[in-house]
Amino acid sequence: MSLREDFVWGSATASYQIEGAWNEDGKGPNIWDEFTHRPGKIEDNSTGDTACDHYHRYKEDVKLMADLGMKAYRFSISWARILPDGTGKVNQKGLQFYQNLIDELLKYNITPFITLYHWDLPYELYLRGGWLNPQISDWYEEYVQTIATNLKGVKNFITFNEPSVFMGCGYAQGSHAPGMQVSDKDLLKIGHNILLSHGKAVSVLRESIPDANIGITLATQPKIPLDPTDVDGAYNAYFYEGMGGFFWGVNYWLDPIVFGNYPKKLVEEAGNLFPTVTAEEMQLIHQKIDFMGLNIYEAQYYGDYKRTPGTPHTELSWDVYPEALKWGIILNYKRYNLPIYITENGMSAHDWESLDGKVHDPNRIDFLTRYLKGLKAAAEQNCDIRGYFHWSFMDNFEWAKGYNPRFGLVYVDYKTQKRIPKDSAYWYKNIIQTNGETL
C-alpha cells in the first residue's frame, strides 16, 4: 500500500534554535535568552545568540530546502520578535522577517506550517508570572491575532509544540528555561492556562482564516506491545490517567481538547490541587481541531522487557525503537480518530565533515528507514497519516545540550555558518520524490 498522494514531506526547526539575531531589529528578550546567559545552564556554555544565523541567511536556507526537494517546512515564530514586551506595541521588522520567509517558501512551492509557540516566552511576560498568570491566555490571544491579521500565505498552524516538555523541563525539573521547580498544584494551573491559550488561538484562527488547518503537537513515547496480540494492554498502559507525571501523557492534553473533559482519574487523584474549571472554559478548550501532531523519538516496551547492555542508541543515548512511529500512530488514531502528522522524528549523531568535504551519516539513513517503514505499516492499517517532518532541517542549538547533538539533514559549521547537506539529505530527497515507495 502506498502513502496518500498528497502526503506531506518536510522538515522542521524552531525559532530560538536557528534564528540568532537575539537582540536585533527591535526583538525583545525571551526566557531562553535570559536562561542561556546564566552560567552553567547549558552543557557547552553556549547560547542561541547567533545559532545558525537563519535570520540573516533565510534565503540561502530556503533555496537549499528547495534543492533538497522539501515539500513543506515547519517553523516557529518568536513571540518576542513580533511583540517585544509580549503585548502592546508590534515590531514591524519582526513581522516583515516572517512574511519574507513565508514569501520565499511560497516562491519555491514549499508549504509553510507555523508553530505559534515553541518554548520562547517573552521575558517581560515571565516577569508578570508567565504561564502561572491566568491573564496569559489573553496575552496569547493578542499574539495569535497579530499573526493571523498580518501574515499572509499560511493556512497550516500548530498552536503549541510539546507543552509537556516546556512545562515538565521548564517548571517541574528546572532543566529548561525558565528553570523553575513548582508544585503539582501550580503545574495543573499552568497546564490549564496552556489549554485555554490553545482554545483562544483556535478561535482567533477560525475567525481570521476560515480555511485554516489547525492542530497541536505533543511529545510522546508510545508503548510498543511485545506481544502484538495485546494491543489493549499497551493502549491502557499508554493512556494512563493518574497524577504521576500527568503532564507527560498525551491524554492530559488531548482529552480536554477532543472529548471536552480532563481524565477522570487525574481529577479524582488531584482533588483540591486541581484548578477550578468552568463549563465555559471547557467549551473554549473543546473546539474542533483538524489534526494532531506527534513528536516521536523514543518509545517504551509493554510487556516483560529488560534492557540489555549495548542496546542501539543515538549520540544522546536515546535508544532506537524501529516500531515507535507505527505504534504511536496506531494507538493515538485508535483513541482520538484524528488525522496525524509526525511533526518531529530524527536522531542525533556524531556528524563531522569528512576529508572528502562531505558529511556521511549512514546510521541516520538506517534509523529513518526503520522508523518510516513503521509509519507505512500504520498507514496500511488504515490510520489517517497525513505527513512527516524530519527533525531537523539543519543542525542547531539543542536546548540545554548546546551544539554538540546534531539532528540535521544539513550540517552546519558554526564557526563559518557553512551548510553541507549530509548523505541523509540526498536519501530523503529520493524518499520525497518517490513518496516513500523506495522504503
Side-chain angles (χ1 to χ4, degrees):
M1 175 181 174
S2 299
L3 296 170
R4 52 191 297 148
E5 289 185 7
D6 61 350
F7 191 84
V8 176
W9 293 99
S11 58
T13 64
S15 53
Y16 187 78
Q17 293 180 271
I18 66 166
E19 284 181 4
W22 75 282
N23 61 355
E24 291 185 36
D25 291 341
K27 177 188 169 293
N30 62 52
I31 55 174
W32 276 93
D33 293 322
E34 190 275 337
F35 188 75
T36 59
H37 291 163
R38 287 192 237 165
K41 293 299 182 182
I42 308 302
E43 281 193 10
D44 59 4
N45 295 311
S46 62
T47 73
D49 290 2
T50 302
C52 305
D53 198 28
H54 176 71
Y55 185 79
H56 298 112
R57 299 171 181 266
Y58 72 92
K59 288 188 177 182
E60 169 191 347
D61 292 334
V62 173
K63 173 67 164 56
L64 190 51
M65 290 176 204
D67 291 344
L68 293 172
M70 298 294 165
K71 302 298 184 184
Y73 176 49
R74 175 185 169 229
F75 63 96
S76 75
I77 289 179
S78 169
W79 187 344
R81 199 179 291 284
I82 299 291
L83 294 162
D85 295 323
T87 63
K89 185 179 179 181
V90 175
N91 178 27
Q92 293 299 327
K93 288 186 177 180
L95 278 174
Q96 192 60 57
F97 165 71
Y98 291 109
Q99 189 60 65
N100 291 343
L101 173 59
I102 292 164
D103 292 343
E104 199 72 12
L105 291 166
L106 295 176
K107 183 174 82 173
Y108 291 102
N109 295 314
I110 299 172
T111 302
F113 278 68
I114 284 181
T115 303
L116 294 167
Y117 186 81
H118 201 132
W119 307 2
D120 46 358
L121 182 73
Y123 187 63
E124 288 301 315
L125 296 187
Y126 162 76
L127 294 177
R128 295 164 67 180
W131 291 108
L132 272 166
N133 190 325
Q135 289 183 280
I136 196 163
S137 63
D138 293 331
W139 302 336
Y140 195 68
E141 183 178 31
E142 178 186 344
Y143 161 60
V144 176
Q145 184 68 68
T146 304
I147 291 171
T149 302
N150 290 280
L151 295 184
K152 308 302 179 186
V154 183
K155 71 172 185 177
N156 300 290
F157 294 91
I158 294 164
T159 57
F160 284 95
N161 178 76
E162 299 184 347
S164 61
V165 178
F166 77 76
M167 187 164 94
C169 295
Y171 291 88
Q173 299 174 355
S175 57
H176 283 188
M180 298 176 68
Q181 292 178 296
V182 303
S183 66
D184 282 344
K185 183 175 183 178
D186 282 350
L187 289 172
L188 287 164
K189 285 182 183 177
I190 290 170
H192 189 56
N193 287 338
I194 292 169
L195 285 167
L196 287 173
S197 300
H198 160 85
K200 291 183 179 181
V202 173
S203 294
V204 165
L205 291 169
R206 293 281 183 227
E207 183 175 343
S208 301
I209 308 170
D211 62 343
N213 184 41
I214 306 169
I216 186 171
T217 279
L218 303 170
T220 185
Q221 294 187 12
K223 294 286 188 182
I224 299 173
L226 285 176
D227 178 356
T229 66
D230 193 10
V231 176
D232 288 343
Y235 176 94
N236 292 329
Y238 180 46
F239 294 108
Y240 172 74
E241 295 187 347
M243 270 292 287
F246 66 91
F247 45 84
W248 298 116
V250 167
N251 43 316
Y252 170 71
W253 304 101
L254 270 185
D255 277 18
I257 292 172
V258 178
F259 303 136
N261 52 261
Y262 280 102
K264 182 178 179 181
K265 186 176 180 181
L266 170 64
V267 176
E268 291 174 351
E269 288 188 8
N272 292 333
L273 297 180
F274 211 87
T276 300
V277 180
T278 67
E280 291 76 16
E281 287 176 333
M282 285 312 305
Q283 185 177 4
L284 177 64
I285 294 168
H286 176 45
Q287 295 178 76
K288 177 183 179 294
I289 57 173
D290 302 299
F291 66 89
M292 62 183 298
L294 296 175
N295 291 355
I296 298 176
Y297 297 91
E298 294 186 280
Q300 298 172 349
Y301 288 109
Y302 174 75
D304 186 15
Y305 172 76
K306 183 178 180 181
R307 188 186 188 281
T308 57
T311 295
H313 58 274
T314 71
E315 179 268 343
L316 275 175
S317 297
W318 296 356
D319 284 357
V320 177
Y321 298 86
E323 291 194 302
L325 293 189
K326 173 185 173 181
W327 287 104
I329 294 166
I330 289 173
L331 295 178
N332 280 286
Y333 191 67
K334 174 182 172 70
R335 185 177 185 88
Y336 297 110
N337 195 34
L338 278 173
I340 292 171
Y341 290 87
I342 298 300
T343 40
E344 287 184 28
N345 169 246
M347 64 164 283
S348 64
H350 292 286
D351 299 325
W352 62 80
E353 183 178 357
S354 296
L355 290 173
D356 61 4
K358 299 178 181 179
V359 178
H360 304 292
D361 57 343
N363 49 353
R364 181 173 286 106
I365 293 172
D366 184 83
F367 175 98
L368 294 175
T369 300
R370 294 170 188 266
Y371 275 60
L372 285 171
K373 281 180 178 290
L375 181 149
K376 287 187 73 174
E380 289 167 359
Q381 294 195 29
N382 297 315
C383 295
D384 188 357
I385 174 72
R386 300 284 178 93
Y388 173 89
F389 291 82
H390 179 270
W391 184 270
S392 58
F393 173 65
M394 57 185 167
D395 297 336
N396 55 44
F397 177 82
E398 191 51 43
W399 306 113
K401 296 293 183 179
Y403 290 99
N404 286 327
R406 291 182 178 269
F407 278 89
L409 293 168
V410 175
Y411 180 88
V412 178
D413 182 330
Y414 297 113
K415 290 182 180 179
T416 65
Q417 293 297 341
K418 179 182 178 183
R419 274 76 158 138
I420 305 173
K422 304 174 187 178
D423 289 353
S424 59
Y426 298 110
W427 171 87
Y428 189 49
K429 180 178 182 179
N430 181 61
I431 295 297
I432 295 171
Q433 288 176 337
T434 62
N435 200 27
E437 286 297 316
T438 53
L439 285 167

